[in-house]
Amino acid sequence: LFKEEYALPFDLKTDYFKKQSKRYNLEVLPTVVIYDEREEKILYQGRIDNRFYGVGKQRQITTHNDLIAALEAITKQQAIEQKSTQPVGCFINFADNISRSN
C-alpha cells in the first residue's frame, strides 16, 4: 500500500533480520539512509522531516523536509547541506526472535 500510495518507482523490502539496520548502525525507526553504491558511502542518514521533535510529540506544521532536500541536492549534483540528522521514533528491537536467529 505504501509503495502504491506514494507511487514509489523502486522496490521496498522489510529488513526482517535487521541486517541493514546493523550495517548502518541504526537505532531508531524511521531512519532514512541514502547510500551511494558506486562510491560506497552514505550521502544522508537521519530523519525524513522535522514533523516529530520528541517521541509522540509532533509539530502542527512540518517546516523542513530533510529527505527531500537531500534528494533534490543529489539530483541537482549539489552538495547536501545537512548530511545527517537525529531521527525521532521507536528504538529497533535487536533482541527479538527473528533478529537473534541470524
Side-chain angles (χ1 to χ4, degrees):
L1 289 171
F2 185 86
K3 178 182 167 95
E4 290 79 22
E5 182 177 340
Y6 292 97
L8 300 176
F10 47 82
D11 291 332
L12 300 177
K13 293 184 178 183
T14 300
D15 189 17
Y16 290 111
F17 302 107
K18 316 253 185 352
K19 291 179 180 179
Q20 299 305 315
S21 298
K22 291 173 186 172
R23 176 181 180 188
Y24 298 112
N25 298 313
L26 306 184
E27 297 177 350
V28 174
L29 290 177
T31 300
V32 174
V33 178
I34 301 174
Y35 185 79
D36 184 331
E37 289 286 340
R38 282 181 271 155
E39 297 289 325
E40 297 183 346
K41 68 178 185 177
I42 295 172
L43 302 177
Y44 172 78
Q45 183 169 332
R47 65 188 184 188
I48 297 168
D49 56 37
N50 72 345
R51 177 179 174 191
F52 291 93
Y53 61 91
V55 177
K57 297 179 182 178
Q58 59 182 304
R59 293 177 168 78
Q60 294 291 333
I61 298 172
T62 300
T63 58
H64 196 267
N65 291 296
D66 305 283
L67 176 57
I68 290 172
L71 291 172
E72 284 178 348
I74 291 167
T75 58
K76 293 177 183 176
Q77 298 183 343
Q78 298 173 345
I80 298 172
E81 285 184 32
Q82 197 167 10
K83 294 181 185 225
S84 68
T85 57
Q86 184 63 46
V88 176
C90 299
F91 284 102
I92 299 170
N93 180 3
F94 290 102
D96 65 0
N97 289 336
I98 294 173
S99 299
R100 285 186 280 155
S101 67
N102 283 301

